[in-house]
Amino acid sequence: MSRRMSAKQIVIAVLVIFGLPALLYVFAALNEAFFGTSTSDFFPDGMEEPLWYPEGIDPHSYDGPALPAVLLVSDQFSIDSDMALKARLLSQYGYVVRIPDLYDGRHSRGIPGMRILRRVTGEERMFARVGEAWEALLADPLVNPERTALAGFDLGAELA
């Protein structure tokens, strides 16, 4: 005796088979966006902000000529290990490097979490954070404002 499924049973089966994994995926993205790693995990040791000074330069005791600087605006993933590496490499060439924290300390490794952060933060706030970082970089007494550059990657290029 064969039993045929009703339309209602088919809809319920499809929702369970496809809906449950999709729901788990959304919860995982939300968790990563709001409770995942922090951008401060990628700051230089001992720093409370995304600011890299050239090797051997102590910002508290430096008494030499003003240094060139770069405001490095990150891609849509904000501050991560890739951006920290770029900043570290530039600082090895003698630049002071600052990276704006686009998502207020939050970080996402995946695209769904990053899209959530972008939507929640909004473009106006990201532009404001880039402007605040630019002003902070120019206000640094070690930085020569006439030798300061602005560079960006992907979303950061648009913001720059």
Side-chain angles (χ1 to χ4, degrees):
M1 166 161 92
S2 72
R3 181 172 175 222
R4 297 185 69 191
M5 292 178 70
S6 70
K8 182 179 176 182
Q9 291 172 323
I10 292 172
V11 168
I12 291 172
V14 167
L15 286 176
V16 168
I17 292 170
F18 296 107
L20 187 59
L23 185 63
L24 292 173
Y25 182 78
V26 168
F27 280 131
L30 287 168
N31 182 54
E32 182 182 358
F34 294 107
F35 304 108
T37 56
S38 166
T39 54
S40 64
D41 296 342
F42 305 103
F43 294 178
D45 290 339
M47 295 297 288
E48 294 182 12
E49 56 186 333
L51 183 62
W52 287 258
Y53 287 101
E55 261 182 59
I57 301 246
D58 179 11
H60 304 294
S61 63
Y62 181 73
D63 193 26
L67 300 168
V70 176
L71 182 68
L72 195 60
V73 187
S74 63
D75 60 9
Q76 65 267 14
F77 292 104
S78 193
I79 302 169
D80 59 10
S81 58
D82 184 48
M83 290 306 295
L85 174 64
K86 288 175 178 139
R88 195 168 46 253
L89 291 172
L90 281 169
S91 71
Q92 288 175 353
Y93 284 102
Y95 292 92
V96 175
V97 182
R98 179 180 283 274
I99 301 176
D101 190 353
L102 299 178
Y103 303 127
D104 200 25
R106 294 185 302 242
H107 172 260
S108 174
R109 293 179 309 240
I111 292 173
M114 174 272 304
R115 288 190 177 177
I116 291 168
L117 289 176
R118 275 184 75 177
R119 186 157 301 209
V120 167
T121 303
E123 239 179 65
E124 287 178 15
R125 184 62 188 138
M126 286 190 283
F127 274 121
R129 287 189 176 131
V130 170
E132 291 163 5
W134 179 255
E135 293 299 322
L137 184 63
L138 293 178
D140 189 327
L142 272 64
V143 170
N144 181 347
E146 294 177 6
R147 296 180 62 205
T148 303
L150 177 62
F153 302 93
D154 194 19
L155 171 68
E158 181 181 328
L159 294 171

